[in-house]
Every structure is written in C-alpha cells, then in structure tokens.
C-alpha cells in the first residue's frame, strides 16, 4: 500500500491538473507549483525519514505515514484556494518521501534472504500499479463537476488500508535487536523463518550488532563511503536516464511524434503504465534467480538502445510516412519495459541491502533524498533541454548517461542475491570493494 500511494499520489496530478487549471484559472508558473509541490514534500520527507525510522522504528514510521497520507488527501481534496492545494500537495509529498525510503527498508529487514529481492521489488510493483490506478481514476472523474477533488480523495482508501494493515504487522526484528529487545525479535524471526533458521539469524544479527557497538559506525565512517556513493550513484542513473520524462510527459512525447488526438494521448499513457506493471512482474520473478547485476546490465542496454532509436525517430517524424510515429511508440514501449525489469525495482532493492544495520535508516534516507532531488531536476529541465538540444539531442543525452551507468554498474554493482544483510555488512566493514560484496572467497 505504501508503494501504491507513492505511485498514485505522484501520478494523479496529470489528470487533476487539467481541471484545476480551468477552475482556478492558473498561470503556467502556478501550474508548475501545483505539480512540483509534491516533489518538494518528497525531498523533505526523504530527508527526515532516516532519523524517524531509527528513532520510533520502521513500523511506527509507516503507521504515522498512513496518517499523513490521509491528511494530505483531505487537504488537497477539500482545498478552497491555491495555497491550500499547494499545502495539501506538500503534505502528501512528505508522506511519499518517508514511505519511499522506509517501506523498502522495512521489507528488506523482515525478509528471508532467498526471496528478499522479490519481496522488496513488490514495492516497485505497487508503485507501477499505483501509477496506472491514478490514470484510470483520473479518467473516471475527468468529466465530473469538481472531479479533481474526488481524484485526490480517492487516495484516502489505500491510506486507510495501509494504516489498518500495519497494525497487524510486527516491528522489524533488526531494529528491535539494535534497541536490545532480543526476545521479541527472536519471536518475529521464528515466525517468519521457522524456529531453527530464526535462531541462526538472531545469532548472526547479534554478532553484527556487537561489532557495530564496538566501533559505532556513523554516516561519516570511511569504510561506509563506497556504499553511500553507490546508493547515490544508482539513484542518479535511475533518474537521469529520463524515466520520469516518460512517466510525466508521455502524452507530450506522443504529440511530438505526430499523434494529435487526446484519446491517442490517453491510451498511450495507460499503455506505458501497463507495460511498466507487466515487466515489473517479470523482474520480480527473475531478481532472486538471475540476480541484480544481470538485470541491470541487460536493462540498461535495452534502455540505451531504445533511447537512441527514439532520438533517431524524431529526426524522421514529420515525413509523410506514418511508420515513424509508430516506431516512436515501439521505442518508448521497449524503453519502459527495459526500465521495469532493471533499474525500476533494482535501484530501490540495492539501497535497502547494502548499508550496515546501525545506519541503515539514515543511509537509505540519503539515497532516497538523492532519488527525489534528481527526479525534481530532470522534471524541471526536460522541456528546456528539448529547447536547447532538440528532441533527438534530449533522448541521446539520456542514452549517454545510460551508457556511463552501464559501465559503472559492471564495475561497482555488487551481486546481493541470496546473501544475508549481515554478510554484506561484514564484507563492507572488511574493506572489500563494492563489486566483491557477498562474493565467495
Ligand atoms: C522511480 C520513480 C518512477 C517509477 C516508475 C520508481 O522506481 O523511483 O521515479 O516514477 O519507478 O515506475
């Protein structure tokens, strides 16, 4: 539900904006404010998430988040002025920022290593489903009087489900052990993994916590730096290869390619969303079998090839042969598919795995802060880059960043498939290179 709200509340604005613009007679700057308010909230929420998750725990943080999601949906849905609407969108952003960091962190700490990849990636699946739901709900209310209010208010349903659901879930055993509550942690580990395996995990987490206590790692510890840089780096590549230009601007891109009708734009957008969902399912099936490295490597190659093709198609569109605009559709579909099997889920997965227990909350918060900041920058600059470099130049720029990402991933991305979080931490502490974390000696 946390992922669903992430996707829903970022996606819902595309339809809501069309109605708000008319009703409130917004100028383009005010329009940009309504859209970007949520991203500003996300940046603030991501920055605060780590301290919160370490202090009150992952479960309580998500529970609080559900309350903030409700509040934001109400504020935005019932807003009587532009200021009220912007305030509501910032509050929603705060909740998204916190949830985007803490939900994968919580799932990762709760999961048995063998299926951790699939379980954490379920969060990404819910993000993509949330995005599609937002398009469908927008479509449902687009003709209603003050329809935008219902669009925001619908967010109340998953927020309430998230809050109610969290009441039945246990706290993270790793967080409990960090606080010295070993007995409760053992019960939870046994419930998830069975008694014997739960006991073994408890021992290994205890040993790791003892090591942490001995040298109390902080975010500034030298041995932690490579992991911090990797986390920020993978978020940069995830965002700077342009995913959200497609998610936010799909209709604009299709218009550029020569599709003129509104219906075509709507179907294009829903189609993009569905491909995103379908291929995320494929990724979930593969991530614990093929591993993270293989998926990122193949996915990035696919993204680069599609971006190059998309750029090339824009040289040809405008010519009489309609084949070019259909090629743009194919290239965009392949691009989304390649993202959905690789960087979409794997970026969030890897940052939920590579940090040591004592600072996992704060380190994850830093990576998430980076994600939202790059997201904001790319959204802000896309149209100016198109003005500056042309459509072809813009997509080729994203392709160039993808090529750099491919080389960096080959060199630095660890294979965390099936490896326990404690083993990863021990390797990091021992000064192993990022690429070698979790590798057999
Ligand atoms: C990214 C979002 C993106 C979404 C699309 C996520 O992993 O962080 O920026 O909108 O995937 O599916």
């Amino acid at each position: 539900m946390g992922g669903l709200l992430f996707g829903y509340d970022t996606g819902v604005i595309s339809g809501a904006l069309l109605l708000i613009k008319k009703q409130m007679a917004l100028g383009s700057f005010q329009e940009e404010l309504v859209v970007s308010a949520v991203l500003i909230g996300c940046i603030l929420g991501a920055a605060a998430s780590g301290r919160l998750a370490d202090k009150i725990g992952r479960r309580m943080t998500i529970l609080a988040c559900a309350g903030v999601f409700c509040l934001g949906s109400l504020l935005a849905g019932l807003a009587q002025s532009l200021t009220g609407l912007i305030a509501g969108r910032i509050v929603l952003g705060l909740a998204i920022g916190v949830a985007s960091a803490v939900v994968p962190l919580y799932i990762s700490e709760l999961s048995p290593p063998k299926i951790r990849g699939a379980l954490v990636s379920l969060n990404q699946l819910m993000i993509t489903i949330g995005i599609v739901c937002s398009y469908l709900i927008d479509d449902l209310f687009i003709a209603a009087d003050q329809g935008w209010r219902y669009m925001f208010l619908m967010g109340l349903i998953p927020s309430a489900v998230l809050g109610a659901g969290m009441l039945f879930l246990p706290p993270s055993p790793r967080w409990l052990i960090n606080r010295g509550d070993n007995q409760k942690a053992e019960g939870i580990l046994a419930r998830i993994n069975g008694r014997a395996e739960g006991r073994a995990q408890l021992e290994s987490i205890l040993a790791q916590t003892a090591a942490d206590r001995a040298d109390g790692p902080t975010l500034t510890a030298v041995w932690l730096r490579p992991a911090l840089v990797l986390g920020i780096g993978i978020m940069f590549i995830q965002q700077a290869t342009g995913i959200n230009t497609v998610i936010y601007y799909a209709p604009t891109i299709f218009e550029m390619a020569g599709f003129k009708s509104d219906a075509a734009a709507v179907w294009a957008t829903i189609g993009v969303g569905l491909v995103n969902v379908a291929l995320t399912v494929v990724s979930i099936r593969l991530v614990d079998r093929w591993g993270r490295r293989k998926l990122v490597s193949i996915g990035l190659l696919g993204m680069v090839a599609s971006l190059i093709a998309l750029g090339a198609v824009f040289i040809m569109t405008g010519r009489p042969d309609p084949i070019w605009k259909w090629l743009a559709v194919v290239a965009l579909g392949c691009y989304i598919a390649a993202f959905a099997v690789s960087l979409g889920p794997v970026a969030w997965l890897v940052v939920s795995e590579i940090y040591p227990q004592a600072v996992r909350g704060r380190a994850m918060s830093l990576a998430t802060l980076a994600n939202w900041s790059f997201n904001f920058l790319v959204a802000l600059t896309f149209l100016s880059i198109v003005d500056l470099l042309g459509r072809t130049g813009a997509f080729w720029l994203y392709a160039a960043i993808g090529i750099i990402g491919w080389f960096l991933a080959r060199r630095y991305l660890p294979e965390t498939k099936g490896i326990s979080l404690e083993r990863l931490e021990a390797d990091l502490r021992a000064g192993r290179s990022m690429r070698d974390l979790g590798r057999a000696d």
Side-chain angles (χ1 to χ4, degrees):
M1 286 297 116
L4 186 102
L5 281 157
F6 172 158
Y8 185 82
D9 282 321
T10 47
V12 70
I13 194 67
S14 60
L17 190 66
L18 300 174
L19 302 180
I20 297 169
K21 213 161 57 174
K22 275 189 222 146
Q23 187 178 328
M24 296 193 175
L26 302 185
S28 54
F29 177 63
Q30 291 167 318
E31 219 180 287
E32 277 169 6
L33 268 183
V34 174
V35 176
S36 45
V38 86
L39 290 178
I40 293 168
C42 290
I43 290 173
L44 297 174
S49 64
R51 275 183 193 287
L52 215 57
D54 285 345
K55 210 173 168 88
I56 66 171
R58 288 64 165 127
R59 174 176 173 271
M60 283 306 284
T61 305
I62 300 174
L63 206 53
C65 240
V68 181
F69 269 121
C70 286
L71 180 70
S73 307
L74 283 172
L75 285 175
L78 304 177
Q80 295 304 321
S81 63
L82 179 65
T83 323
L85 180 62
I86 292 175
R89 294 286 293 162
I90 293 182
V91 171
L92 275 175
L94 289 174
I96 301 173
V98 175
S100 60
V102 182
V103 170
L105 171 71
Y106 174 69
I107 302 177
S108 176
E109 289 189 348
L110 220 59
S111 301
K114 273 204 171 63
I115 51 168
R116 190 178 58 230
L119 291 180
V120 177
S121 301
L122 276 181
N123 184 56
Q124 173 70 17
L125 179 65
M126 294 307 283
I127 297 175
T128 61
I129 292 178
I131 295 175
V132 172
C133 284
S134 76
Y135 296 156
L136 296 175
I137 298 280
D138 281 1
D139 203 44
L140 192 67
F141 290 114
I142 198 86
D145 181 35
Q146 311 236 358
W148 60 273
R149 295 191 185 278
Y150 304 114
M151 297 175 186
F152 289 131
L153 290 173
M154 287 297 277
L156 279 170
I157 301 173
S159 312
V161 175
L162 176 65
M166 283 314 289
L167 293 175
F168 295 94
L169 289 178
S172 154
R174 289 178 165 81
W175 179 78
L176 284 173
I177 292 170
N178 222 28
R179 319 248 318 172
D181 195 345
N182 301 351
Q183 214 179 356
K184 194 163 174 195
E186 185 174 1
I188 297 166
L189 285 169
R191 207 172 120 196
I192 296 172
N193 304 281
R195 192 166 287 277
E197 173 59 25
R199 180 85 219 158
Q201 283 200 19
L202 178 76
E203 297 297 335
S204 115
I205 301 172
L206 280 174
Q208 206 51 63
T209 315
D212 280 349
R213 293 241 162 84
D215 77 350
T218 60
L219 270 192
T220 49
V222 176
W223 58 271
L224 201 62
R225 267 180 218 161
L228 291 179
V229 174
L230 184 97
I232 295 172
I234 197 164
M235 289 313 192
F236 174 74
I237 301 297
Q238 195 209 45
Q239 292 297 319
T241 38
I243 181 61
N244 287 309
T245 62
V246 173
I247 302 278
Y248 302 158
Y249 294 101
T252 316
I253 296 176
F254 281 112
E255 231 166 64
M256 289 174 181
F259 288 93
K260 294 288 177 240
S261 81
D262 282 354
V266 169
W267 280 110
T269 315
I270 293 180
V272 161
L274 288 176
V275 171
N276 198 7
V277 173
L279 271 292
T280 307
V281 174
V282 173
S283 178
I284 289 175
R285 296 192 66 90
L286 296 180
V287 70
D288 289 317
R289 280 192 258 159
W290 289 15
R292 289 61 163 153
R293 280 179 58 84
K294 198 180 243 176
L295 287 183
V296 168
S297 194
I298 296 174
L300 263 171
L301 283 183
M303 287 168 70
V304 167
S306 319
L307 284 167
I308 293 175
L310 195 61
V313 164
F314 279 116
I315 300 177
M316 308 307 283
T317 47
R319 311 239 167 140
D321 194 343
I323 185 86
W324 295 110
K325 64 181 189 184
W326 288 106
L327 278 178
V329 175
V330 172
L332 210 84
C334 291
Y335 168 79
I336 283 284
F339 172 85
V341 283
S342 61
L343 279 180
V346 176
W348 291 107
L349 173 59
V350 167
V351 295
S352 77
E353 300 179 318
I354 55 173
Y355 302 122
Q357 182 64 44
V359 293
R360 189 171 296 126
R362 271 161 293 157
M364 178 86 190
S365 152
L366 193 69
T368 309
L369 175 65
N371 183 284
W372 287 111
S373 307
F374 296 134
N375 184 331
F376 186 59
L377 259 175
V378 173
L380 214 62
T381 53
F382 174 58
L383 292 177
S384 327
I385 292 182
V386 169
D387 278 346
L388 199 73
L389 302 179
R391 297 154 191 178
T392 303
F395 290 112
W396 284 358
L397 174 67
Y398 298 140
I401 295 173
I403 294 172
I404 297 172
W406 188 83
F407 280 108
L408 290 176
R410 287 202 68 79
R411 187 156 179 166
Y412 297 111
L413 190 68
E415 183 47 85
T416 50
K417 169 183 85 169
I419 316 279
S420 76
L421 298 180
E422 288 64 42
R423 165 73 199 278
L424 292 170
E425 173 168 352
D427 283 1
L428 192 64
R429 188 185 284 278
R432 278 190 150 196
S433 68
M434 290 309 292
R435 170 81 174 77
D436 287 338
L437 294 190
R439 267 198 177 179
D441 298 308

